[in-house]
Amino acid sequence: MIVGSGAAGLSAAEVIRKHEPKAGIQIITEDPYGYYSRPGLAYYLAKEVPLEALYPYTEGYYRKLDLHFTKEHVARINPAEHVLHLAGGRIMPYDRLLIATGATASRPDTPGINLEGVVTLDSLEDTLHIVKLARHSSSAVVIGGGITALELVEGFTALGVKTHYFLRGDRYWNAVLDETESRMVEERLKEDGVIVHYNIRATEILGRKNKVEGVRTDDGKVTPCQLVGVAIGIRPHKELAQNSGLIVRRGVLVNDHQMTSDPDIFSAGDVAQVIDPDHPDGLLESLWNPAQLQGTVAGLNMAGITTPLCRPVAVNVTRLAGLVTTIIGQVGGAEDKGKDDRDTNSIMRGDSEEWREVANAVVAETHGGHNRLRLYIGERTIAGALVMGDQGLSRPLQNLIERQINIRELRPRLLEPGAPITELINNFWNSIPRLRHPVNSYAPKVS
Amino acid sequence: MFGSLFKSQAQKHQNLAQGQVVPEPGRCVQCGICSYSCPAGIDVRHHALLGMPVNDSRCLTCGECILRCPRGVLRFEQSELTSLLTEDLH
């Protein structure tokens, strides 16, 4: 039994079916649209791909795998009796259960936050709602930070809505980007016609007949708008686990076999907080491929094949105001790191707590036009990297960091002032042929 | 004027010599942009999901899927067969 039809839930279902041809696999979901590419929603908003393309699988595929979907809310779990209670009253028994309920966008408690026209971006339903509202909107305000805030800003702009982006601090995403990178993004936003406001806080969302009319800010001004996008962070959907007596913290706590505090209940994806040797207090992230990997590992363990999670380094390739950006490993080392990100209260979608970790490392950076490279160089390995603009080093750096390739010989040259680090890394990468054919780090290592 | 003509021809020869579209499955988020942009109608996404190089004879090596993928999943890489061919040409 799998609760949730996202990346983790489907990956678990697929691998269970592979090893258990006769098992009954039931996927219970609250998403009326089933399984689709959630990262693709931003591309749909930006008009790069049609709706149908977001579905990787056909009905025929689900029939072939004998996967059954039930669209309903799960009220609670009774772990002792191995049953689920659905909201409609039905009781479903299970042998092994996976909680893959994902996360939802948080909302601040700003007055007016529940007016019609205030939107978040979690699901396909949200996306279609945004497209509908945008048709009758001439201007919008976005509050929040991280990747999702810009998906909303760029999405509204692509839909023809004049957009104001309110930053509470003096730069964008200070938790992960450094000042140079923030400015690169902000410049691109302004070139796209977005009005960026700094050091401003929304105090009230104003409405008439329950619809958004404007946003009042702490400087006393009111910005008229019909649409307000909110991206202040996501919260793991841990209530089901919590109400059922499982141990939760920021998310549902699991060990490195994706097992919760109950041996027959597993958890994976955005809702899960994984405890591993590098993160004894547990790590939260909202990344598509790691969710698939966690789902696969959970599924293997549920099918009786004991498999530990071999967690790869946190990587994402995203677009910030059109600037392609790869973020790998530990990059949280900016000078003003002491200040928390004022625009968000937790991670966003496409984000990882690992990125904010400060590595015991030295920075090497280079910048030319619209291209930027920032590396965190430890004693023997590269601990983190951010690649903005030209992506030539995106894959090589992912390999060097993930596989902890020893760069001790290269290190002194990288740290020389004015070093041509792009060239140095490129040459290093090309000099080691075996690196060019990497192991698929997303395939779980089955014991 | 002719410079740019020769340049696009040279690019096409380079693409063909470079072989196949190769995916990095760990980056694919199944958004479908690759399959949507393929002029030959190849389900590139399916290849990306499974980590299989695009070996389909319909592939024009036009590079659209590589260009449009928002996640840097796809690249051209020389396969054994095409590297033999380029050796013959030289």
Side-chain angles (χ1 to χ4, degrees):
Chain A
M1 193 88 41
I2 295 169
V3 185
S5 60
L10 263 292
S11 299
E14 286 173 305
V15 80
I16 292 170
R17 178 54 77 221
K18 200 155 115 179
H19 295 276
E20 300 259 12
K22 302 244 172 48
I25 304 176
Q26 192 78 232
I27 299 176
I28 307 173
T29 179
E30 285 178 13
D31 194 327
Y33 292 95
Y35 175 63
Y36 49 86
S37 168
R38 196 177 312 275
L41 296 176
Y43 308 137
Y44 169 68
L45 266 184
K47 305 194 177 175
E48 287 172 74
V49 72
L51 202 58
E52 314 80 64
L54 297 177
Y55 286 92
Y57 299 143
T58 59
E59 284 298 318
Y61 177 78
Y62 295 124
R63 270 198 304 272
K64 197 174 84 166
L65 255 59
D66 198 24
L67 294 181
H68 299 272
F69 284 78
T70 300
K71 301 209 169 127
E72 210 177 327
H73 172 69
V74 179
R76 64 190 170 84
I77 307 165
N78 188 328
E81 293 187 20
H82 283 62
V83 296
L84 286 183
H85 292 256
L86 299 188
R90 209 156 33 128
I91 297 175
M92 295 179 93
Y94 66 84
D95 293 321
R96 295 272 171 91
L97 177 68
L98 174 68
I99 299 175
T101 46
T104 2
S106 311
R107 289 192 178 214
D109 51 16
T110 311
I113 200 71
N114 292 314
L115 287 170
E116 192 188 307
V118 180
V119 298
T120 52
L121 183 55
D122 280 326
S123 65
L124 181 47
E125 191 167 4
D126 291 338
T127 309
L128 294 172
H129 188 55
I130 288 171
V131 170
K132 196 169 103 174
L133 289 174
R135 284 195 198 112
H136 311 291
S137 305
S138 55
S139 57
V141 163
V142 173
I143 62 175
I147 294 168
T148 312
L150 293 195
E151 287 177 348
L152 285 166
V153 167
E154 299 273 285
F156 290 169
T157 304
L159 290 165
V161 182
K162 183 88 189 144
T163 305
H164 297 258
Y165 181 29
F166 287 177
L167 283 172
R168 289 177 72 155
D170 53 16
R171 67 181 182 88
Y172 168 71
W173 213 11
N174 67 296
V176 172
L177 304 184
D178 73 5
E179 183 166 1
T180 306
E181 289 141 16
S182 295
R183 299 302 170 216
M184 283 170 76
V185 172
E186 291 159 27
E187 274 315 300
R188 291 288 283 252
L189 286 176
K190 291 168 191 170
E191 279 166 27
D192 284 343
V194 177
I195 303 167
V196 182
H197 305 249
Y198 299 90
N199 299 303
I200 196 169
R201 193 170 60 86
T203 52
E204 190 182 351
I205 301 173
L206 307 165
R208 199 164 68 92
K209 295 188 181 170
N210 209 41
K211 292 192 181 156
V212 171
E213 268 205 324
V215 176
R216 194 197 308 279
T217 41
D218 56 353
D219 56 0
K221 297 206 183 101
V222 172
T223 305
C225 61
Q226 300 77 39
L227 195 52
V228 177
V230 174
I232 61 164
I234 54 171
R235 318 175 281 109
H237 238 159
K238 60 188 181 185
E239 290 72 27
L240 178 61
Q242 198 162 23
N243 298 340
S244 309
L246 299 174
I247 298 177
V248 305
R249 211 174 280 160
R250 290 190 305 290
V252 179
L253 281 186
V254 294
N255 64 13
D256 67 351
H257 288 64
Q258 307 299 142
M259 190 187 286
T260 66
S261 48
D262 182 299
D264 287 326
I265 303 179
F266 296 75
S267 186
D270 290 2
V271 73
Q273 190 173 347
V274 182
I275 294 176
D276 67 30
D278 292 323
H279 306 98
D281 294 324
L283 182 82
L284 267 187
E285 57 193 357
S286 174
L287 290 166
W288 184 259
N289 300 108
Q292 289 180 309
L293 179 62
Q294 286 188 28
T296 302
V297 170
L300 286 168
N301 286 292
M302 287 163 80
I305 303 166
T306 307
T307 312
L309 174 71
C310 193
R311 198 185 149 268
V313 149
V315 185
N316 198 8
V317 184
T318 183
R319 274 187 324 218
L320 303 174
L323 270 174
V324 182
T325 306
T326 301
I327 308 173
I328 310 167
Q330 296 165 319
V331 296
E335 333 71 54
D336 57 353
K337 183 64 190 73
K339 288 192 234 159
D340 285 324
D341 187 347
R342 294 168 69 185
D343 296 300
T344 60
N345 56 24
S346 70
I347 59 167
M348 309 302 302
R349 292 196 179 279
D351 195 352
S352 173
E353 288 179 338
E354 182 175 285
W355 291 344
R356 289 151 174 71
E357 288 169 14
V358 180
N360 182 16
V362 184
V363 169
E365 54 188 351
T366 187
H367 188 194
H370 294 294
N371 300 319
R372 173 144 181 89
L373 179 61
R374 172 162 57 103
L375 302 181
Y376 281 92
I377 300 167
E379 287 302 315
R380 293 181 315 108
T381 59
I382 303 174
L386 189 138
V387 186
M388 210 176 235
D390 183 88
Q391 293 295 301
L393 286 182
S394 171
R395 211 171 50 85
L397 282 167
Q398 182 177 350
N399 270 278
L400 293 174
I401 294 168
E402 232 164 50
R403 296 157 79 193
Q404 301 194 289
I405 301 294
N406 192 324
I407 49 105
R408 207 184 314 179
E409 276 189 22
L410 185 60
R411 191 177 184 276
R413 279 181 287 159
L414 281 173
L415 296 178
E416 267 167 39
I421 58 177
T422 307
E423 205 183 298
L424 288 169
I425 298 285
N426 219 5
N427 292 342
F428 182 74
W429 169 251
N430 287 324
S431 74
I432 309 179
R434 67 180 174 84
L435 286 183
R436 302 185 68 88
H437 298 285
V439 167
N440 179 0
S441 54
Y442 286 95
K445 284 125 187 92
V446 179
S447 55
Chain B
M1 174 173 91
F2 290 119
S4 62
L5 258 178
F6 289 138
K7 194 170 170 196
S8 70
Q9 273 295 92
Q11 185 63 54
K12 181 139 201 230
H13 283 303
Q14 194 179 21
N15 286 351
L16 286 170
Q18 282 181 313
Q20 305 169 308
V21 174
V22 176
E24 180 111 356
R27 287 190 167 200
C28 178
V29 295
Q30 285 94 56
C31 68
I33 288 178
C34 52
S35 301
Y36 177 62
S37 57
C38 177
I42 297 169
D43 189 354
V44 184
R45 170 169 50 190
H46 186 68
H47 288 80
L49 192 59
L50 298 176
M52 288 182 338
V54 178
N55 222 343
D56 196 313
S57 58
R58 292 175 293 163
C59 178
L60 307 169
T61 58
C62 67
E64 276 300 298
C65 55
I66 297 174
L67 190 66
R68 289 180 193 273
C69 172
R71 299 280 170 139
V73 176
L74 306 168
R75 65 189 186 277
F76 273 126
E77 211 165 76
Q78 238 182 8
S79 58
E80 273 181 13
L81 184 61
T82 53
S83 67
L84 284 173
L85 285 172
T86 49
E87 272 171 41
D88 283 343
L89 288 174
H90 297 108

